[in-house]
Amino acid sequence: MNTKSDTASEPAIESAPVGNFILTDSSTGESWELPARTGAMGNRLIDIKTLYGQTGILTYDPGFTSTASCKSDITFIDGNKGVLLHRGYSIEELAAKSDYMETCYLLLYGELPTPEQKTSFDSDIKSHTLLHEQLSRFYSGFMRSAHPMAIMVGVVGALSAFYHDSIDITDVEQRQLAAHRLIAKMPTIGAYAYKYSLGMPFPMPRNEYSYSENLLQMMFSNPAEDYEINPVLSRAIDRILILHADHEQNASTSTVRLAGSSGANPYACIASGIASLWGPAHGGANEAVLKMLDEIGTVDQVGKYIKKAQDKNDSFRLMGFGHRVYKSYDPRATVMRETCHEVLQVLDVNDPKLELAMELERIALEDPYFIEKKLYPNVDFYSGIILKAMGFPTSMFTVMFAIGRTVGWISHWKEMLNDDEQKIGRPRQLYLGEQQRSFIPLDKRGHTEKKTSWPWFWGK
Ligand code: ACO
């Protein structure tokens, strides 16, 4: 495939200093000026790059709630207004008018493809969908009961042991090869994790199918029968992939950037993103939504669980609700909700879980606790219900997310490598441990116990 370079078009706007902030130390009266910056859209920010060098002072921001860790021109989110744009195009428009391959091209190269570019990109991706035979045999080292995300982390990480021709991150051609390979092979790797758990043979990817059709075919075909693609279902898969394709500097993308900042190879970086995505506070939430609906059981129990979610002494949270950035309806959830109804209609599914989910959504949206904290359903709330109706086992939900998000991870990884301000990611800390002390010999030590507080999701 011919692309001028692996970088996107020039940024629409250069981030320029716009005034200063004055930082004053009230204990000494000392002041420093820090430049204010604006991007093309969004919040103003304080540029603290030189703060430590100038003053020896660090900033403290657990969970990076107030920190922009990089420059980017890939995705823009306005969490208060519920806006999500990829390269300037709204997610609603992309979901309605585009397809996943086109969205991948847009994220990777900064512009929608021309018809020739689209054909060439599609065919290049199709040329990389097969897995190396030895890599297919790799699966037999896993337990049949292994979680498919565990298999994904292992197999994607292992790609670097198979494709030595694309791990030199300084070579633009190799970067592009790795990018296309990863996008192409993720559905195959994911579907094989499922087939392996069933003890079924691995189906071959087929070039007559689109990306999403192929994914369905590899997941659900049976070698003894013909497989017929349902266009509503393949369109739903395509939408799910588009809606998950990128989401700015979320936990897994930041993990990929951090891993990549040390110069790690692309396959290792994407494996680290998959590992981060697996957590229930991130991509694992779609699986957790279904488990939660199982736990709630019936519509008459919803009130009880809404109360549990509000109880500070109870670790229960409403899975699929809330978002670090969206303090309004997640625009992806709106599209996903629509798709959810389409799929259920086509499949003629009358799932009591959907009724339960709708009641949960209705009550939560009217409840003062959720209104005050701006907790709305997020994309994972509906994606799990759609995937379940289509026959995906719960354990595959986060795999689907990982397949869709791979292009976002790679686009950010490439952008990071092309950023001249890029440095190895190395946060600092607020140290609260012991000050220097003398070593105590073993026979002189008494028993000591330290109290530890665990995050909510570890308390479950
Ligand atoms: N149910 C009940 N209460 C909640 C929920 C929830 N789902 N989410 C947040 N809250 C409450 C918190 O208890 C906290 O209350 P407090 O201010 O009284 O202490 C307040 O809302 C803020 O919550 P934080 O955890 O501080 O918000 P944060 O931005 O760090 O977390 C997160 C966002 C992790 C998504 C959170 O809302 C959550 O855990 N949701 C459930 C898991 C989920 O659906 N994750 C998917 C995220 S979307 C994605 O990855 C595609």
Side-chain angles (χ1 to χ4, degrees), residues 158-168 174 177 181 265 267:
L159 290 175
S160 48
F162 285 80
Y163 298 107
H164 298 128
D165 59 349
S166 51
I167 52 176
D168 176 359
Q174 292 203 26
L177 183 55
R181 245 189 208 139
N265 77 67
Y267 305 108

Side-chain angles (χ1 to χ4, degrees), residues 281-282 285 312 317-321 324 369 373 378 380 456:
H282 191 12
K312 280 256 157 267
R317 279 192 175 197
L318 275 196
M319 299 313 290
F321 277 76
R324 168 60 62 78
Y369 172 93
K373 295 193 185 299
N378 58 47
D380 289 326
W456 62 269

